[in-house]
Amino acid sequence: VAMPTHPVQSSEIVIRATCGDGLRESSEQCDDQNLSSGDGCSSTCTVESGYTCVGGSSTSKDVCSGTCSDGILQHRETCDDGRPNADFDGCSTQCTIEPGWTCVGAPSVCSSTCGDGIRTPVEICDDGNSLSGDGCSRT
């Protein structure tokens, strides 16, 4: 006796992650709704070094930002001295250059800008010029 054959139906639904669609799915570490690297979430939907990505889910995209105070200049940081709790040293705890300072490199090294009229904690005076002999020397 021959048994009739019927097509087999499956209730399995296979969902494939589509990197760049703004929905964090499957094996994606992040998905910021673009395929650009260098913004925290790479073109392969992995979190890039020096960044943190939050908010992503199966219904919303990730928002990525540089990890401030890790000593690496990233994204919108103008300085990063690797010191998480130190303000008034040239590089703020939000990784922006403080008024009266100049910062270079990564980790950032900051120095007071003498003669700019902004007295920083390391300056005795700052009269807004670099002339000596007027009560405030240029050093």
Side-chain angles (χ1 to χ4, degrees):
V1 173
M3 298 289 276
T5 60
H6 299 284
V8 176
Q9 293 184 349
S10 172
S11 61
E12 285 185 38
I13 298 173
V14 177
I15 298 174
R16 290 199 174 119
T18 304
C19 183
D21 66 357
L23 306 174
R24 191 191 305 177
E25 301 167 321
S26 175
S27 62
E28 295 176 331
Q29 293 178 359
C30 59
D31 195 322
D32 60 355
Q33 204 170 5
N34 70 62
L35 294 174
S36 301
S37 292
D39 62 357
C41 185
S42 75
S43 61
T44 58
C45 288
T46 57
V47 178
E48 297 174 310
S49 177
Y51 285 87
T52 302
C53 299
V54 296
S57 70
S58 61
T59 59
S60 63
K61 70 177 185 171
D62 280 282
V63 176
C64 303
S65 59
T67 306
C68 183
S69 300
D70 61 359
I72 302 168
L73 278 175
Q74 297 283 346
H75 202 42
R76 294 183 182 105
E77 296 176 342
T78 56
C79 61
D80 193 326
D81 60 4
R83 298 175 56 188
N85 300 314
D87 275 328
F88 312 111
D89 64 349
C91 187
S92 76
T93 56
Q94 287 79 39
C95 288
T96 58
I97 298 173
E98 296 171 317
W101 296 83
T102 303
C103 301
V104 295
S108 299
V109 176
C110 302
S111 58
S112 179
T113 308
C114 184
D116 63 358
I118 301 170
R119 185 171 165 248
T120 65
V122 298
E123 294 176 316
I124 295 171
C125 61
D126 194 322
D127 61 0
N129 66 59
S130 57
L131 301 173
S132 292
D134 63 353
C136 185
S137 71
R138 63 177 175 224
T139 53

